[in-house]
Amino acid sequence: MGLGATTVKHVLLLLNFVFSVLGLALIAFGIFFLISAAENAVSIGENVAGGLIIALGVVILIIAIFGCLAAIHEAPVRLLIYVGAVVLLILAQLMFLGMSSHGTKDGISGSINEGFDRLWESERNQTGALGYYESWLQCCGVNSSEDYWIIHHGIPSSCCPENKCMDTPSRVFKTGCKVAFVKYLDDKLLVFKIVCWLLVIGEAVGAVFGWLLYSSVKNQSRRNNAVWM
């Protein structure tokens, strides 16, 4: 192998090491997502998202390890499989990025709407069902504080800073809890989006270097009139 091929091999190994680290980071983030989702009962979409993030991290880790082994052994067939797997992985991540961008407005939002509808029904029967979310997210009602006026309920103390309204309308949180919860999910998914975009860019480079190493090994084998696997 020439110096160029050796450099390509080393770069490919380095890239796959970085992919392994980012894959582990995604697994850790997915676990955090599931743990934090267990603290509220509004949306099952959080559990689904957490599971998908963990699964994606595991797949990235497996492909990265496979890529390292293929590069170390300079096995053409394995390198070709690696390149194909990385291309499919990039497509899958782009799909996940699209889902995360629109999930809280489309897919996840369905369970969010249902969850807050259930909570509001409970609130109508017994004041305090929304209290946890109002204090946590600094919001009031499902859509706004006007929800309470519609059902002729007084504004609960959880709708105000430090649970003290002091009969002052200006102290009441203006944002509805549904909107606040969607923003909370969007903020959580921002980390996933950043890591995913870094991976997509890096994997595109990795696929190119994998193909270059595959071509180099194949050409070297032909020159040596060897049988390659």
Side-chain angles (χ1 to χ4, degrees):
M1 265 194 191
L3 179 61
T6 302
T7 302
V8 168
K9 176 179 176 179
H10 289 161
V11 171
L12 190 58
L13 287 171
L14 177 61
L15 283 172
N16 280 288
F17 172 75
V18 174
F19 297 157
S20 299
V21 173
L22 291 177
L24 288 171
L26 279 180
I27 293 172
F29 179 69
I31 293 172
F32 160 74
F33 214 90
L34 289 176
I35 292 173
S36 59
E39 297 176 359
N40 67 77
V42 168
S43 172
I44 61 170
E46 275 192 280
N47 294 322
V48 174
L52 287 174
I53 291 171
I54 291 173
L56 179 61
V58 170
V59 171
I60 290 171
L61 186 60
I62 292 172
I63 291 177
I65 294 173
F66 181 83
C68 284
L69 295 174
I72 290 171
H73 295 136
E74 299 176 8
V77 172
R78 289 185 226 172
L79 286 168
L80 193 58
I81 292 172
Y82 167 75
V83 171
V86 170
V87 171
L88 291 175
L89 181 60
I90 290 173
L91 294 176
Q93 285 172 260
L94 290 174
M95 181 183 69
F96 280 143
L97 283 166
M99 289 171 59
S100 65
S101 295
H102 301 287
T104 52
K105 299 177 181 63
D106 300 326
I108 297 178
S109 64
S111 62
I112 291 175
N113 289 334
E114 292 173 8
F116 275 107
D117 286 344
R118 288 194 303 270
L119 280 174
W120 189 242
E121 271 308 307
S122 300
E123 183 71 37
R124 291 169 68 98
N125 299 323
Q126 183 177 1
T127 302
L130 272 174
Y132 169 74
Y133 297 93
E134 289 170 336
S135 297
W136 167 39
L137 298 170
Q138 296 189 341
C139 55
C140 190
V142 174
N143 301 299
S144 72
S145 60
E146 292 184 5
D147 291 342
Y148 288 103
W149 297 115
I150 292 172
I151 63 172
H152 307 294
H153 278 203
I155 301 295
S157 59
S158 55
C159 277
C160 302
E162 301 176 354
N163 291 330
K164 296 177 181 178
C165 290
M166 300 177 181
D167 296 325
T168 307
S170 61
R171 287 181 60 84
V172 177
F173 298 131
K174 306 301 180 187
T175 308
C177 288
K178 188 191 299 182
V179 172
F181 190 78
V182 169
K183 183 180 183 303
Y184 154 75
L185 283 183
D186 282 337
D187 290 343
K188 280 179 69 174
L189 286 170
L190 179 62
V191 176
F192 168 74
K193 293 175 187 176
I194 292 172
V195 173
C196 232
W197 275 116
L198 289 174
L199 279 165
V200 166
I201 295 170
E203 286 160 0
V205 176
V208 171
F209 276 87
W211 181 260
L212 290 174
L213 185 58
Y214 160 77
S215 300
S216 178
V217 171
K218 184 178 177 182
N219 291 335
Q220 183 66 28
S221 297
R222 284 177 175 173
R223 283 195 293 270
N224 296 334
N225 197 25
V227 178
W228 53 279
M229 295 181 57

